[in-house]
C-alpha cells in the first residue's frame, strides 16, 4: 500500500457487533488489516485512528429524535423501536449501539479530512459503508449512514460537489434518498437487480427529482 494512502482503524471499530451469529461481523475489518500488514502492503505509519462523530455531525443526515432513540434503545420497548427499524432481525439492539455507530461515522469523516486537508492522496474506512440507513430509520444492518453523512459533511465543510460511487451488491438506497433532489451530489450505484435482492430498489428509472435537478444513476445487474 502506497504511503500516500491512509487506513483508518483502531479496535473500537469492532464494537459495532450485533451478536455472534449475525452475518454482519466487523472481524472482517481486522482480518483485512492483518492481511495487508502480513503482505507488506500496510505499515503502522499509514494507519490513522478514527475519532467519534458528534451528534451534530450525525444530525447532518439523521433526525435528532432518531439519534435519541438509538442512544436510548436498550431502555425502550420493542414496539417503539420497530417504528425506527431497530430491534429487527437485521438490526437488533446491542449494548452501546450509539457509540459504536458514531465511531464508524467518525472513522469515515477522519478519512475525508485526511484527503481534503492534504494529509493523504487516498483514505479508506473498511468498517463503514452503512448505506442503508435513512433519516429516521435503521435498515439492513445500518444504524447511521456514514456515507451520506460524509457527503453532507463535504458539502458543508469543504463546499465541494460530490460524485458517490457505490459498488456493493445491494442498492445504496439510503444515500440515494438523502440526495435525490440535490443537484450538487450525484449518486451512482452498481448493484444486483432489486427483483431478487434486498432492498428491492435501484431501478434504472430512479434518476433524481427533476424539479430539484437531482442526479441519481443505477446500474442493476
Amino acid at each position: 500500500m502506497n504511503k500516500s494512502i491512509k487506513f483508518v482503524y483502531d479496535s473500537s471499530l469492532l464494537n459495532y457487533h450485533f451478536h455472534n451469529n449475525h452475518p454482519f461481523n466487523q472481524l472482517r475489518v481486522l482480518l483485512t488489516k492483518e492481511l495487508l500488514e502480513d503482505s507488506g502492503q500496510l505499515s503502522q505509519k499509514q494507519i490513522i485512528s478514527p475519532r467519534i462523530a458528534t451528534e451534530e455531525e450525525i444530525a447532518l443526515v439523521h433526525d435528532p429524535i432518531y439519534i435519541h432513540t438509538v442512544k436510548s434503545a436498550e431502555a425502550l420497548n420493542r414496539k417503539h423501536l420497530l417504528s425506527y427499524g431497530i430491534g429487527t432481525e437485521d438490526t437488533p439492539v446491542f449494548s452501546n449501539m450509539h457509540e459504536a455507530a458514531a465511531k464508524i461515522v467518525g472513522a469515515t469523516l477522519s478519512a475525508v479530512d485526511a484527503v481534503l486537508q492534504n494529509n493523504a492522496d487516498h483514505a479508506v474506512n473498511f468498517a463503514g459503508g452503512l448505506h442503508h440507513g435513512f433519516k429516521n430509520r435503521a435498515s439492513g444492518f445500518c444504524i447511521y449512514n456514514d456515507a451520506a453523512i460524509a457527503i453532507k459533511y463535504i458539502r458543508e465543510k469543504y463546499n465541494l460537489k460530490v460524485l458517490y460511487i457505490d459498488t456493493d451488491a445491494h442498492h445504496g438506497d439510503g444515500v440515494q434518498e438523502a440526495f435525490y433532489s440535490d443537484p450538487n451530489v450525484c449518486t451512482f450505484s452498481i448493484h444486483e437487480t432489486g427483483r431478487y435482492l434486498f432492498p428491492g430498489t435501484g431501478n434504472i428509472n430512479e434518476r433524481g427529482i427533476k424539479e430539484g435537478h437531482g442526479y441519481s444513476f443505477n446500474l442493476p445487474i
Side-chain angles (χ1 to χ4, degrees):
M1 182 179 286
N2 189 288
K3 291 184 179 179
S4 64
I5 299 174
K6 299 298 183 182
F7 187 99
V8 185
Y9 178 83
D10 73 19
S11 60
S12 67
L13 295 176
L14 306 181
N15 294 335
Y16 192 87
H17 181 72
F18 293 105
H19 54 73
N20 289 338
N21 295 320
H22 196 280
F24 191 88
N25 190 333
Q26 291 290 55
L27 181 61
R28 64 194 173 88
V29 182
L30 175 60
L31 294 176
T32 300
K33 171 180 173 288
E34 291 178 345
L35 176 63
L36 289 170
E37 289 174 325
D38 291 346
S39 63
Q41 300 300 308
L42 178 65
S43 70
Q44 189 61 40
K45 291 182 179 180
Q46 292 171 268
I47 299 174
I48 57 176
S49 297
R51 63 177 178 84
I52 190 166
T54 66
E55 287 189 39
E56 290 76 17
E57 289 168 336
I58 297 169
L60 290 172
V61 167
H62 295 286
D63 191 300
I65 295 175
Y66 172 70
I67 297 171
H68 176 74
T69 300
V70 173
K71 292 179 68 177
S72 309
E74 291 182 272
L76 297 175
N77 66 65
R78 188 170 183 270
K79 183 177 180 180
H80 177 80
L81 291 173
L82 287 175
S83 65
Y84 292 96
I86 303 170
T88 65
E89 184 176 349
D90 277 355
T91 316
V93 175
F94 63 93
S95 182
N96 299 314
M97 188 162 66
H98 167 78
E99 290 77 10
K103 196 62 175 282
I104 287 181
V105 175
T108 298
L109 299 183
S110 296
V112 166
D113 285 333
V115 173
L116 295 182
Q117 293 176 10
N118 296 317
N119 295 316
D121 293 327
H122 309 281
V124 61
N125 168 30
F126 279 128
L130 305 181
H131 60 174
H132 295 306
F134 289 87
K135 180 179 180 179
N136 57 7
R137 176 169 56 88
S139 177
F141 316 157
C142 305
I143 299 166
Y144 296 143
N145 192 324
D146 64 298
I149 294 168
I151 293 170
K152 192 70 174 178
Y153 180 80
I154 292 169
R155 289 288 308 129
E156 296 209 353
K157 183 173 181 178
Y158 297 101
N159 194 31
L160 296 173
K161 293 184 177 181
V162 178
L163 168 61
Y164 168 79
I165 301 175
D166 191 320
T167 59
D168 192 287
H170 306 90
H171 175 228
D173 54 344
V175 182
Q176 176 179 290
E177 180 169 300
F179 301 101
Y180 206 57
S181 61
D182 190 336
N184 295 304
V185 177
C186 177
T187 64
F188 180 34
S189 182
I190 304 169
H191 49 268
E192 291 189 35
T193 175
R195 292 181 183 177
Y196 312 109
L197 198 66
F198 178 89
T201 56
N203 296 317
I204 59 173
N205 62 341
E206 296 174 26
R207 300 291 297 274
I209 296 175
K210 185 176 181 180
E211 291 78 7
H213 302 289
Y215 299 98
S216 178
F217 298 95
N218 291 288
L219 183 60
I221 298 172

